[in-house]
Amino acid sequence: MLTEEERLFLEQNEPIVFVSQTRYPPFEFIDANQQRRGMMVELAQWIATEAGFHAEFTDTVFQQAQQRVLSGDAHVLTSFFYSEARDQQFDFTQTVFEVPASIFVATQRPDIAMVSDLDGKRVATQRSDYAKEFLATLDLDFELVETDDFASAAQAVIEGSADAMVGDEQIVLYYLYSNGLHELMKRVGEPLYVGLNAMAVAEGNHLLQSILDKGVDHARASGTLDRLHEKWVGAELPGRSFAWQAYWPYAAGLALLVAMVVAWNVRLRQLVSRKTAELELAASVFRHAREGIVITDAKGDIIEVNEAFTRITGYQRDEVMGKNPRLLQSGHQEVGFYRALWKELLEKGAWEGELWNRRKNGEDYPELLTISKVCDKQGQTSHFVAVFTDISRQKEHERQLESMAFFDGLTGLPNRILLADRLRQAMLAARRSGCKVSLAYIDLDGFKEINDRLGHDVGDRVLVTIAERLTSALREADTVARLGGDEFIIVFPEQRDVVTVSGLIVRLLRHIAEPIDIEETLLQVSGSIGVVHFSPEDEIEPEQLIRQADQAMYQAKQAGKNRFHIFDAEHDRAVRGHHESVERMRQALADDEFVLYYQPKVNMATGEVLGVEALIRWQHPERGLLAPASFLPAIQQHPLAIVLGEWVLAEALSQFDAWVDAGIRLPVSINIDAIQIQQGDFVERLRAEVECHPSLGPGDLELEVLETNALEDIPHVASVMSSCRAFGVAFALDDFGTGYSSLSYLRHFPASVLKIDRSFVRDMLDDPADLTMLEAVLGLAVAFRRGIIAEGVETLLHGRMLLAMGYELGQGYAIARPMPADAIPDWLQTWRPDESWRQRQCALPEERQAIYAMVDHRACAAGVLNYLRGAQSEPPEANCNQCRLGVWLSCRERGQAGFTPKMKRIASLHASYGQLAQEALLLKPGGSSEDLNQHARQVAQVSEELQDVLQFWINESNLAQGKL
């Protein structure tokens, strides 16, 4: 528990700034994603969270980190080794981790095995590290090579600019294994000292020192320190064994001496008394050596082993005497390996290397083996001496370090380093085989909420579960890697048909979305997946391929999550130019290059002008007048869209005032972007703008909201609408019918008008489905007491058809094109609806059936003609008895009124069309092009005549209705 004085200190000094080193892994470092990592950084974050104070983290190189604390720019050194000299300027916390420091040399250097061998050598170490102070206490003459960090010191040894280095074991080994350099260097001798790693504050800052000490105590008692150590370091480093790889010539010489003494004992017994002491010494060395020693005769049969041999292999001396050492073979090495071993041994007199042997109990183990050939005076081989060391612990530690360097500590999946290597190998293989490589970038949806709400332990269990699901769903050749956080990558090598990858991705999405049961709580996440396909001809690096998959993942997330998106190269090129487009538009706004055009909205039957819609245009100095579709998509979901939207609002309301001053009161409607209406202060800013225009009355300003945008956040948009209506602003749902319309949504939105999307109006003359949509939306508007207006009235026929269906309000080119503000007064003076619109009555049910039948026939005839002319590959259905026109004619024929002459003509033309269409469709597979063209002309001619007669009948019915 913190004291009141300590709490007051934190309140007065927050945030507490921790400064770490940029290159000191695994204690603290900056990773490839520029994130601060390491066990001391995580410990500092944990202490701040547990103690409840705000912490900031910064980083720099080692020397500057110390200066920042001493100068007061930072409060705490995250990781610092204790020494008496440093204790004069800093106050240290209790020791957090003990870190041994050792000597490292290049693998091929046998001349440095202990600290005394550094005499006369070039020794590298990190600048200002305690190693420099320690080396200064030694009575040795050496040249000190100071580097910025241990990684640079190790590189100096590898490159030969230093003979050896002194550094902290975990840090040096982490660097070597992470960068694949572990075979180029080795540790020698015993640890020189054990560094006491702690946190440190400036001298005299006892309150902060006490707070940190309490945090370390709490971390140790709760097991957090153990977990951090296991995560970043793994098992303890193995103890040192005698480095026979550097001393094998001496061991061989000693063994040779033993062999010679034994021979002299047999042949020259009279010399026994003089050589007894030497033999006893040699025998003692032979018996008590920690390395196993085997002596064989020239044939390779064992004639002597030492106690270490028995301890390592499990075989007693009597069990192996006279036998060949091959009884130890494990089967890991092939016959060719042993042939090469014996060839080198006989030619060069010695062999050194690693191999796997098998103990008596059947357990395989790795060993470092040196074999020397011993020759007699005549130069003939008399014996072989083998010295070996069990390196199981070293191999296990190497495996742990390799796992730390190449695998994710939480899930056990490959990390970014190993992923890059496997992806590079897959791409090289693809270039050789001609196959493709697919890459999937996965980001979990909803994971952050689980992590924040239930804690990191539950979040970690979710990540482990997802990793297991991904691994179980893939082939052995595929690679699943974790990049960090909730991001995963899958590599699919050797893909001949990338279409199959899409099916696999769909299955992965289902697996990811399955509920996860943790402590009787069902949790659920989904995945957004970006997919990219690599072809052998692509000139691209692995990192760029990952970035492309990341971009595609972002597109999937933007599209609604729980889905996948395949990377589009064309889109990528467009994105690269996006920034330039946004900046150019920002400049255009500053230079007054944007203008507003206005398109009237009218009652098509009465001619009444209801208002105008303000539409933005860009008067580009080089490209001329640009429509919104050519520039607005570039700022979708961009803050500039808000700025431009506010400009449109202010400009349109200023124009409204100008018209009022000229005696024209013309309500104006404005399109509002989704990002603008979602701003927290939207209502206040709109009210302030409205209050700047006193002439504005209720209903004079209407905001048009896209239906798809409104549906993204129903409660918020509904609340905004209600608040704005309170001060006289009306709303319309624009492009209605293109979103996932819901009756409940329509009920909750306080929008007074629905604007039916222009796509339904445009194709209503040719597509029965669009005609049905228009009728359905009109029914919704009537049922919910909403006004409705049709966009896209392009022709007089469109207007007549809409009026027949019951639509009176319209907007489109058949009424007026968008025009500058100064053209509106003249248009108002000249505008009159077409006479055919004035006479058009709302169709009766029978007339409406005829309209549907005519549109259905037009669509059917278009399909037949497109097939005959090769515009579509599949033949359409041409059963005239089942089409709407055929059904309508059958109902008329069965009716009491019977057929009028006009109706008989329609029926005759319909029958002729049906017969001609069937003949043409039968002729298509094998007929000549000339015959097909002739039949197509006949079908088109009869169809056009049929439509003319049917339209005439509809017009007559409307006139007759108007006279009633």
Side-chain angles (χ1 to χ4, degrees):
M1 296 290 292
L2 299 182
T3 65
E4 287 301 322
E5 187 179 8
E6 289 168 343
R7 294 188 183 280
L8 180 61
F9 172 84
L10 291 175
E11 291 177 4
Q12 294 175 345
N13 291 278
E14 284 186 301
I16 302 301
V17 179
F18 289 79
V19 61
S20 59
Q21 302 178 53
T22 57
R23 292 175 288 184
Y24 205 57
F27 294 104
E28 51 188 15
F29 62 99
I30 301 299
D31 67 10
N33 295 321
Q34 299 304 305
Q35 299 296 313
R36 298 181 185 90
R37 305 286 304 283
M39 52 185 173
M40 293 299 285
V41 172
E42 290 190 12
L43 174 61
Q45 292 170 336
W46 186 87
I47 290 174
T49 301
E50 292 296 307
F53 63 85
H54 177 52
E56 284 187 4
F57 289 85
T58 183
D59 53 84
T60 183
V61 297
F62 183 48
Q63 278 187 305
Q64 293 178 4
Q66 300 174 52
Q67 291 302 318
R68 293 192 64 179
V69 173
L70 293 176
S71 66
D73 288 343
H75 295 93
V76 185
L77 269 170
T78 312
S79 181
F80 203 32
F81 279 17
Y82 174 85
S83 72
E84 291 184 0
R86 292 173 178 175
D87 197 32
Q88 302 301 313
Q89 293 181 293
F90 296 92
D91 283 338
F92 286 80
T93 67
Q94 60 180 284
T95 300
V96 180
F97 296 109
E98 294 185 355
V99 183
S102 294
I103 303 172
F104 292 83
V105 299
T107 305
Q108 71 274 15
R109 293 287 296 258
D111 57 324
I112 302 177
M114 56 190 68
V115 68
S116 60
D117 294 333
L118 298 179
D119 196 25
K121 302 295 193 299
R122 297 166 299 169
V123 182
T125 190
Q126 176 176 277
R127 186 176 290 107
S128 297
D129 189 74
Y130 178 71
K132 179 180 178 181
E133 299 177 36
F134 174 81
L135 291 171
T137 64
L138 302 178
D139 187 19
L140 297 175
D141 182 18
F142 57 84
E143 178 186 345
L144 184 65
V145 179
E146 294 188 83
T147 61
D148 288 336
D149 49 41
F150 286 132
S152 302
Q155 199 63 42
V157 174
I158 293 172
E159 294 172 354
S161 57
D163 300 302
M165 71 165 288
V166 175
D168 302 334
E169 280 193 357
Q170 283 99 330
I171 299 169
V172 177
L173 292 175
Y174 187 94
Y175 167 73
L176 294 176
Y177 277 92
S178 297
N179 293 277
L181 305 174
H182 52 282
E183 295 183 355
L184 302 180
M185 293 187 70
K186 62 183 179 181
R187 292 169 299 177
V188 296
E190 294 297 324
L192 303 182
Y193 59 86
V194 175
L196 305 179
N197 194 12
M199 298 183 186
V201 300
E203 176 74 20
N205 196 347
H206 301 304
L207 284 176
L208 183 53
Q209 179 190 27
S210 173
I211 293 168
L212 295 174
D213 271 332
K214 291 178 179 179
V216 174
D217 281 335
H218 183 32
R220 182 172 287 110
S222 64
T224 299
L225 278 185
D226 292 336
R227 288 192 294 273
L228 287 175
H229 192 274
E230 181 64 26
K231 174 180 178 180
W232 287 101
V233 180
E236 293 294 330
L237 290 172
R240 295 299 189 285
S241 59
F242 193 72
W244 277 103
Q245 60 270 40
Y247 284 87
W248 65 264
Y250 306 99
L254 179 61
L256 179 60
L257 176 60
V258 173
M260 292 174 63
V261 170
V262 172
W264 291 341
N265 186 49
V266 174
R267 298 174 56 191
L268 304 172
R269 293 180 180 274
Q270 64 273 25
L271 299 178
V272 169
S273 59
R274 280 177 16 191
K275 299 296 183 182
T276 298
E278 296 178 16
L279 286 174
E280 288 179 354
L281 176 61
S284 177
V285 172
F286 183 77
R287 284 195 308 271
H288 297 104
R290 293 184 60 189
E291 287 71 28
I293 302 176
V294 181
I295 303 175
T296 72
D297 58 19
K299 296 185 296 182
D301 294 332
I302 298 174
I303 60 175
E304 192 58 77
V305 297
N306 68 346
E307 294 175 2
F309 173 91
T310 298
R311 174 174 50 81
I312 294 173
T313 67
Y315 287 100
Q316 297 297 320
R317 177 177 181 278
D318 294 342
E319 295 178 290
V320 298
M321 294 300 291
K323 296 183 179 179
N324 193 284
R326 69 171 61 96
L327 67 89
L328 299 173
Q329 289 182 6
S330 63
H332 285 248
Q333 291 80 217
E334 297 179 351
V335 175
F337 171 84
Y338 291 104
R339 287 203 193 99
L341 183 156
W342 278 102
K343 183 174 184 294
E344 182 176 341
L345 176 59
L346 295 175
E347 291 178 354
K348 299 181 179 180
W351 181 90
E352 181 181 7
E354 293 182 6
L355 54 75
W356 284 81
N357 272 342
R358 180 168 295 159
R359 309 187 205 275
K360 183 179 178 181
N361 62 7
E363 176 188 354
D364 294 343
Y365 68 96
E367 68 177 38
L368 180 62
L369 172 65
T370 300
I371 308 176
S372 299
K373 180 176 67 171
V374 182
C375 298
D376 56 22
K377 293 181 179 180
Q378 288 73 37
Q380 299 298 314
T381 302
S382 60
H383 300 85
F384 294 99
V385 179
V387 180
F388 64 94
T389 304
D390 183 355
I391 56 174
S392 299
R393 292 183 63 195
Q394 180 181 338
K395 286 295 182 183
E396 175 60 21
H397 190 62
E398 289 177 358
R399 187 198 65 77
Q400 291 176 355
L401 288 174
E402 181 180 3
S403 178
M404 290 166 53
F406 300 120
F407 292 89
D408 175 55
L410 176 64
T411 63
L413 296 177
N415 61 12
R416 180 183 287 271
I417 297 173
L418 185 54
L419 166 71
D421 180 68
R422 292 192 179 177
L423 179 57
R424 184 177 293 103
Q425 296 302 322
M427 293 168 68
L428 289 173
R431 287 191 172 102
R432 291 192 298 268
S433 65
C435 295
K436 293 187 176 183
V437 177
S438 296
L439 192 72
Y441 196 116
I442 304 172
D443 183 89
L444 299 183
D445 309 319
F447 174 77
K448 184 179 184 300
E449 290 76 6
I450 292 175
N451 221 23
D452 293 343
R453 181 165 51 90
L454 301 177
H456 293 289
D457 288 343
V458 173
D460 287 350
R461 292 171 67 179
V462 170
L463 291 175
V464 171
T465 300
I466 295 298
E468 291 171 350
R469 289 179 180 178
L470 294 176
T471 304
S472 64
L474 301 175
R475 306 173 304 171
E476 186 175 349
D478 302 330
T479 294
V480 186
R482 181 186 176 213
L483 289 189
D486 58 349
E487 295 177 327
F488 299 84
I489 280 189
I490 304 176
V491 180
F492 302 97
E494 301 176 2
Q495 296 295 316
R496 298 194 178 277
D497 182 11
V498 295
V499 176
T500 59
V501 175
S502 296
L504 179 56
I505 297 297
V506 171
R507 292 197 297 274
L508 287 178
L509 285 171
R510 287 200 299 267
H511 282 309
I512 293 172
E514 291 174 359
I516 301 171
D517 188 355
I518 296 180
E519 297 178 356
E520 299 182 354
T521 299
L522 285 181
L523 305 175
Q524 194 159 19
V525 295
S526 60
S528 295
I529 303 180
V531 181
V532 62
H533 302 302
F534 167 78
S535 297
E537 61 273 10
D538 294 342
E539 293 296 331
I540 189 172
E541 293 298 319
E543 281 299 323
Q544 187 178 353
L545 200 67
I546 293 174
R547 287 196 298 271
Q548 290 179 350
D550 186 13
Q551 293 175 28
M553 179 277 293
Y554 179 76
Q555 294 294 320
K557 195 172 284 289
Q558 290 292 100
K561 306 177 182 179
N562 194 25
R563 64 194 64 207
F564 72 94
H565 181 83
I566 298 177
F567 177 78
D568 184 350
E570 290 296 329
H571 173 74
D572 181 54
R573 284 190 287 271
V575 168
R576 286 199 295 270
H578 176 75
H579 179 72
E580 290 83 356
S581 299
V582 170
E583 291 307 311
R584 179 62 185 90
M585 288 182 63
R586 196 186 304 277
Q587 186 61 43
L589 187 60
D591 294 344
D592 292 327
E593 294 178 8
F594 291 106
V595 296
L596 289 185
Y597 274 45
Y598 298 87
Q599 187 174 32
K601 299 182 286 186
V602 304
N603 186 308
M604 295 181 289
T606 66
E608 177 188 3
V609 179
L610 308 173
V612 293
E613 179 182 0
L615 301 168
I616 192 170
R617 298 290 187 268
W618 185 356
Q619 190 64 57
H620 198 285
E622 289 90 24
R623 299 166 60 191
L625 191 67
L626 302 180
S630 65
F631 59 87
L632 286 185
I635 59 171
Q636 187 175 8
Q637 296 300 314
H638 191 280
L640 184 58
I642 301 174
V643 179
L644 194 60
E646 292 181 344
W647 176 88
V648 170
L649 177 64
E651 186 74 11
L653 293 185
S654 296
Q655 183 58 55
F656 174 84
D657 289 343
W659 282 330
V660 169
D661 293 341
I664 301 172
R665 193 169 196 89
L666 204 55
V668 62
S669 61
I670 299 169
N671 294 283
I672 293 295
D673 192 271
I675 191 174
Q676 186 173 358
I677 202 171
Q678 290 168 4
Q679 297 302 303
D681 60 348
F682 172 78
V683 175
E684 289 73 16
R685 295 175 73 89
L686 178 62
R687 180 186 288 110
E689 185 65 42
V690 168
E691 290 174 352
C692 292
H693 302 274
S695 60
L696 202 67
D700 285 337
L701 173 61
E702 180 183 73
L703 301 183
E704 297 186 8
V705 181
L706 283 178
E707 178 199 6
T708 49
N709 290 340
L711 294 180
E712 288 183 0
D713 190 348
I714 303 299
H716 176 70
V717 175
S719 173
V720 169
M721 286 183 176
S722 298
S723 299
C724 295
R725 287 185 64 180
F727 52 89
V729 177
F731 280 86
L733 282 182
D734 198 10
D735 291 353
F736 193 81
T738 58
Y740 300 99
S741 306
S742 164
L743 296 182
S744 62
Y745 296 160
L746 192 57
R747 181 183 65 185
H748 291 301
F749 280 136
S752 56
V753 175
L754 307 180
K755 294 191 73 173
I756 188 74
D757 186 65
R758 68 182 67 251
S759 62
F760 302 118
V761 177
R762 181 190 61 217
D763 297 331
M764 64 182 294
L765 304 176
D766 304 297
D767 192 338
D770 287 342
L771 207 59
T772 303
M773 176 65 78
L774 289 170
E775 187 174 32
V777 173
L778 180 62
L780 281 175
V782 172
F784 285 93
R785 300 178 184 178
R786 302 286 196 273
I788 189 165
I789 183 170
E791 295 183 292
V793 183
E794 307 296 332
T795 65
L796 293 177
L797 184 55
H798 281 100
R800 289 202 303 272
M801 188 75 80
L802 287 167
L803 287 164
M805 296 185 67
Y807 283 84
E808 290 189 350
L809 309 184
Q811 181 182 7
Y813 287 0
I815 300 165
R817 291 177 176 269
M819 64 189 81
D822 55 11
I824 288 291
D826 290 341
W827 179 85
L828 290 172
Q829 294 295 324
T830 59
W831 155 249
R832 299 291 183 276
D834 188 77
E835 189 62 30
S836 64
W837 288 5
R838 290 181 177 274
Q839 297 175 359
R840 178 68 252 188
Q841 303 292 321
C842 184
L844 295 174
E846 185 176 5
E847 183 186 352
R848 190 166 298 184
Q849 292 176 10
I851 292 173
Y852 272 100
M854 182 175 66
V855 173
D856 190 60
H857 170 77
R858 187 180 290 122
C860 175
V864 171
L865 292 172
N866 285 338
Y867 175 67
L868 294 178
R869 293 165 179 166
Q872 69 182 51
S873 57
E874 295 296 325
E877 294 184 6
N879 188 343
C880 289
N881 293 327
Q882 299 299 320
C883 70
R884 288 194 181 194
L885 182 53
V887 172
W888 180 70
L889 288 171
S890 298
C891 293
R892 293 283 302 178
E893 187 176 12
R894 291 194 300 270
Q896 296 179 356
F899 265 20
T900 64
K902 187 70 66 178
M903 191 64 63
K904 290 180 179 179
R905 178 60 179 160
I906 293 173
S908 173
L909 288 170
H910 183 247
S912 298
Y913 165 81
Q915 182 177 353
L916 287 170
Q918 289 291 344
E919 291 175 357
L921 292 175
L922 292 173
L923 183 65
K924 170 68 174 175
S928 66
S929 58
E930 184 177 348
D931 289 342
L932 282 174
N933 289 336
Q934 181 179 354
H935 275 75
R937 286 193 295 269
Q938 291 175 342
V939 169
Q941 182 179 355
V942 173
S943 174
E944 290 173 5
E945 185 178 357
L946 173 59
Q947 293 177 54
D948 290 341
V949 177
L950 188 57
Q951 184 65 59
F952 187 79
W953 184 90
I954 293 171
N955 293 339
E956 281 187 333
S957 299
N958 179 63
L959 290 174
Q961 176 187 347
K963 294 175 182 178
L964 292 178

